[in-house]
Amino acid sequence: MEFRIDSAVLTDAVGWAARVLPARSSVPALGGLLLEARDDRLRVSGLDHEASARVDVAADVAREGRALVLGRRLLEICRVLPRGSVECAVEGARLSVDGGGARFGLSLLPLDDYPASPALPAFRGLVEAGAFAGAVGQVAVAAGRDDALPVLTGIRLALDGTTMTLAATDRYRYAVRTLQWRPEGGAPEGGAAGVTDVVVPARRLTEIARSLTASGPVRLAMDGGSIGFEQDGVRATTRLLDGRLPRHAKLFALGKHAVATTGLEPLTEAVKRVAVVAEGDSPVRLGFTAGTVRLQAGHEDDIASQCLPATLEGAESQTVAFNPAYLLDALGSFHTDTVSFRLLGPGQRALLTAGSGTSHRHLLMSVRAPLD
C-alpha cells in the first residue's frame, strides 16, 4: 500500500475514525485503525464493541492495499505533521508516514485479528444535517452522566410519520425537540416497536452530529439493535441502549400556569453574573413581576442581584429557583431573542420555550429557596 494525501485531510479522517476506539480493550486489534487505499480513495475505519466509524477521502493511490495500525498513535503523529502533502507506504512490517521532512514509522497490527465492520442497518429515510445536528445539541445537555443508569445517558429518537422527536432527561430536567424528516425505503411511518422509538447513547450521537456537514441530507438507518448515519463518505453506527426514557407528555402538560418572558441573552449574562456567589448547589432565584425579573443568589453577606425587563401573564408575581448550571444549560440550548417560562410556582416544574414555539422545550425542576 502506498498513497499521497494532504496532511489536514488525513488528520481529520483519522481523528473522526479514532473517536470510537476503546480506551482499553482485551482485544489489541480494536485499538487499531484500518487503512484501505484503492481507486484514488483512502478509507479509514475504526470500531469497538458498541460503535463503528468509517470515512472515505480523496488520495493519490500509487499502490492499493490495507494496513492496520495503532489508531491513537497514528492520530498523535497526524497532529504534529507539517502542513502539506504526506506520503504513506507499507514497508515490510511497518507503515511509514513521511511529510515536510518529518518521517515516522508505525508497526503493523495483524489484519487477521481485526473484526469485520458491522453492516449499515436498514435504510429508513433522510434528515437535513444542519437541523439534525442543532436538535441533538439542544437536547443532549439534559442527558444523564451516571453510567449506573445507562438509559438516562441516552437520547430518545422517535419517528412518527414525517416528525422526528429527540428527547433526553437526567430526572432533574427534560429537553425535547421535534423536527421534520423524510421516510423512504419502505420505512414504517410510526408505531413499529423497537424500530421507530429507540434510545441512542448521547455521547455517540453528539459526536456523530458534530461531524456532519452543515447542509445536505443525512441517511438514517435503523434496526432493533443499532442505528447508523451516512453522509458524503462518512458513515457511523452505534448500538442502541436497552430500556425507554420516561414519557414527557404528562410532565409537559402544566394545566393552569403563568407565563414570564424576558430577553435570552441578557438573562444568560445575568445568571452567570449573580451565580459567582452561589456555592455548591446553591440556587439562583428569579422573581418575576409584571415588568421585571429580579435575579438573586448567595446568602448572608455574600449575595448578588440584578434586575431585567420582563413580562408576566397569569399571575401578579412568581418566584422560582434553579440550579444555576442547569439553568445555563437550558438557556444555552435556545437560539432566539427571548425565552418564556411557563410557571406553576415555587418548588414545581417550569417549562422553558422559545416564545410561543413548541418545537423545542426544556423542563426544569425548580427548588424552594428563601429570599434574602
Side-chain angles (χ1 to χ4, degrees):
M1 182 180 73
E2 184 177 352
F3 61 90
R4 178 179 296 169
I5 190 171
D6 183 80
S7 62
V9 174
L10 179 63
T11 301
D12 287 346
V14 170
W16 158 245
R19 293 179 184 180
V20 301
L21 298 182
R24 297 180 182 84
S25 176
S26 58
V27 182
L30 290 183
L33 288 179
L34 180 63
L35 309 181
E36 300 174 275
R38 63 180 178 182
D39 300 328
D40 286 331
R41 304 289 292 178
L42 173 68
R43 172 172 292 176
V44 185
S45 306
L47 57 82
D48 68 2
H49 298 294
E50 303 294 334
S52 71
R54 193 186 82 185
V55 56
D56 291 350
V57 293
D60 182 7
V61 178
R63 188 171 76 250
E64 295 185 353
R66 305 165 75 229
L68 182 67
V69 297
L70 284 174
R72 299 191 191 283
R73 179 59 56 82
L74 178 59
L75 180 58
E76 291 171 353
I77 290 173
C78 289
R79 286 172 173 168
V80 298
L81 283 171
R83 292 186 178 183
S85 180
V86 177
E87 294 184 3
C88 301
V90 172
E91 300 174 346
R94 70 180 184 180
L95 174 75
S96 67
V97 181
D98 192 345
R103 183 176 176 84
F104 301 88
L106 271 176
S107 299
L108 300 179
L109 299 174
L111 283 168
D112 292 342
D113 295 341
Y114 196 67
S117 296
L120 201 66
F123 173 57
R124 296 302 183 193
L126 302 170
V127 62
E128 282 299 313
F132 179 73
V136 170
Q138 287 177 307
V139 302
V141 295
R145 308 290 190 269
D146 186 358
D147 291 333
L149 298 169
V151 70
L152 295 184
T153 66
I155 292 175
R156 179 191 178 208
L157 192 155
L159 307 174
D160 185 5
T162 59
T163 300
M164 174 185 293
T165 300
L166 300 173
T169 180
D170 61 1
R171 297 182 298 177
Y172 304 103
R173 47 192 171 165
Y174 206 136
V176 176
R177 176 73 158 84
T178 58
L179 67 159
Q180 295 299 299
W181 82 301
R182 189 163 71 246
E184 291 185 8
E189 293 201 354
V195 174
T196 57
D197 196 339
V198 298
V199 181
V200 189
R203 182 176 66 84
R204 297 290 193 193
L205 190 58
T206 300
E207 289 177 348
I208 292 169
R210 287 174 177 169
S211 73
L212 301 174
T213 59
S215 61
V218 177
R219 291 170 57 89
L220 173 63
M222 196 186 309
D223 59 25
S226 63
I227 188 169
F229 301 87
E230 188 174 39
Q231 182 199 38
D232 296 337
V234 175
R235 174 187 291 188
T237 66
T238 186
R239 286 190 181 181
L240 301 173
L241 295 173
D242 293 330
R244 301 176 65 183
L245 292 184
R247 292 300 181 252
H248 64 270
K250 290 184 178 180
L251 285 172
F252 284 31
L254 300 183
K256 185 178 180 180
H257 61 274
V259 179
T261 302
T262 189
L264 176 60
E265 184 176 351
L267 179 62
T268 302
E269 293 304 313
V271 172
K272 293 177 182 178
R273 192 170 294 119
V274 302
V276 298
V277 299
E279 297 181 359
D281 295 330
S282 177
V284 169
R285 299 175 293 277
L286 282 68
F288 291 97
T289 59
T292 303
V293 56
R294 185 183 185 210
L295 289 80
Q296 293 178 271
H299 64 283
E300 296 181 353
D301 294 329
D302 296 329
I303 59 173
S305 65
Q306 183 173 350
C307 291
L308 299 172
T311 63
L312 179 65
E313 300 176 359
E316 292 185 0
S317 63
Q318 282 277 16
T319 298
V320 288
F322 301 109
N323 176 305
Y326 289 177
L327 179 56
L328 286 172
D329 282 345
L331 295 175
S333 69
F334 289 93
H335 310 295
T336 52
D337 292 333
T338 63
V339 61
S340 292
F341 293 75
R342 301 173 189 271
L343 303 169
L344 293 173
Q348 301 189 58
R349 62 192 186 278
L351 186 64
L352 280 66
T353 63
S356 59
T358 58
S359 64
H360 174 38
R361 296 169 289 172
H362 196 115
L363 191 79
L364 283 177
M365 293 303 300
S366 63
V367 298
R368 293 189 178 275
L371 290 176
D372 293 330

